[in-house]
Amino acid sequence: MRKYTIVPVPTRILTHHDDICDAILEFGASNIGNGDVVCVAESVVAITQGMAMRCEEFNPGFLAKVLCRLFPSKGSISNWYSMQALIDAEGGPRVLFAVICGFIAKCAGKSGTFYRMAGKQARLIDDVTGTMPPYDKHIVYGPENPDLVAEKIMETCGCYGAAVADVNDLKRSAVLGVSKGVDPDKIAEILIDNPFGNGSEKTPICIIKDYCEN
């Protein structure tokens, strides 16, 4: 695949008081060209949408306390609060059924069944410490309507396209939403080395230069 130049965009800490499009223009407008694709980390999009909640806002029930023990300690739904967040979002019966089916599938040598069946938030919830301070004390849900967010970014910034992506340092790259004309699989491959910095780097936005060359 062709090598693309990726420009990280430093910002201040973005909060639920911010609009993601305004933030991109404020910090990155001078670096955005007509053929570029603007990419934003999904956790930051979610935070600006008000999708972050402190642990104290959850009331973990018996089901959450039991099911969370079935997941690896480093997983995003391995504690009471993040599991309760998933149950609140997707429903207890659905999560329980997904756990049962996932266990059966695992015994048959198939992985990933739980995350396919438990709803989109099972894959997207960030546990505490999963994002930048002060939101490292929060459970952060996945963003709402990422395709619409990408379209709005594209229209606001005058770039070729935009993407909302979930990327980490373990070579996991998933694109949750894109504007029209942007290939999500190609963007995921371009971002595989995780150019985002959601912590102290404060670079939750990056620009893929000349994605579409005239």
Side-chain angles (χ1 to χ4, degrees), residues 2 15 34 49 57 94 109 116 129 144 151 161 172 212:
R2 171 187 150 204
T15 74
N34 294 335
Q49 292 177 332
E57 298 180 68
R94 179 175 186 172
R116 288 192 293 272
T129 74
E144 295 182 331
E151 287 289 340
R172 179 183 178 276
C212 178

Side-chain angles (χ1 to χ4, degrees), residues 24-211:
I24 293 169
L25 287 178
E26 178 181 353
F27 296 103
S30 61
N31 289 318
I32 299 173
N34 294 335
D36 299 345
V37 170
V38 175
C39 302
V40 188
E42 56 89 19
S43 59
V44 172
V45 173
I47 286 169
T48 60
Q49 292 177 332
M51 300 291 286
M53 297 175 62
R54 293 188 64 85
C55 289
E56 305 91 273
E57 298 180 68
F58 296 97
N59 183 26
F62 177 77
L63 186 62
K65 293 177 181 180
V66 171
L67 295 184
C68 71
R69 297 174 179 272
L70 304 178
F71 293 84
S73 59
K74 292 184 179 179
S76 291
I77 51 174
S78 61
N79 73 54
W80 294 2
Y81 302 101
S82 53
M83 180 57 77
Q84 188 61 51
L86 176 60
I87 290 171
D88 290 348
E90 305 291 355
R94 179 175 186 172
V95 174
L96 178 59
F97 184 66
V99 167
I100 294 170
C101 292
F103 175 77
I104 294 171
K106 202 122 191 174
C107 292
K110 297 180 180 179
S111 61
T113 298
F114 168 80
Y115 293 97
R116 288 192 293 272
M117 296 186 63
K120 68 176 184 178
Q121 292 296 345
R123 301 184 299 274
L124 298 179
I125 285 175
D126 280 329
D127 195 3
V128 290
T129 74
T131 187
M132 73 180 76
Y135 293 100
D136 57 343
K137 302 295 190 297
H138 292 64
I139 304 294
V140 181
Y141 285 105
E144 295 182 331
N145 301 315
D147 284 323
L148 292 179
V149 172
E151 287 289 340
K152 186 179 177 184
I153 292 171
M154 181 268 294
E155 293 169 2
T156 302
C157 298
C159 50
Y160 176 80
V164 177
D166 180 13
V167 188
N168 64 29
D169 293 331
L170 301 176
K171 300 289 186 180
R172 179 183 178 276
S173 180
V175 174
L176 309 184
V178 293
S179 58
K180 293 176 183 177
V182 175
D183 181 348
D185 293 331
K186 183 177 179 181
I187 296 296
E189 188 174 355
I190 294 171
L191 298 177
I192 194 68
D193 290 324
N194 192 14
F196 294 115
N198 294 350
S200 59
E201 305 95 336
K202 297 179 190 173
T203 54
I205 301 162
C206 68
I207 303 166
I208 301 173
K209 300 298 295 181
D210 302 318
Y211 176 89

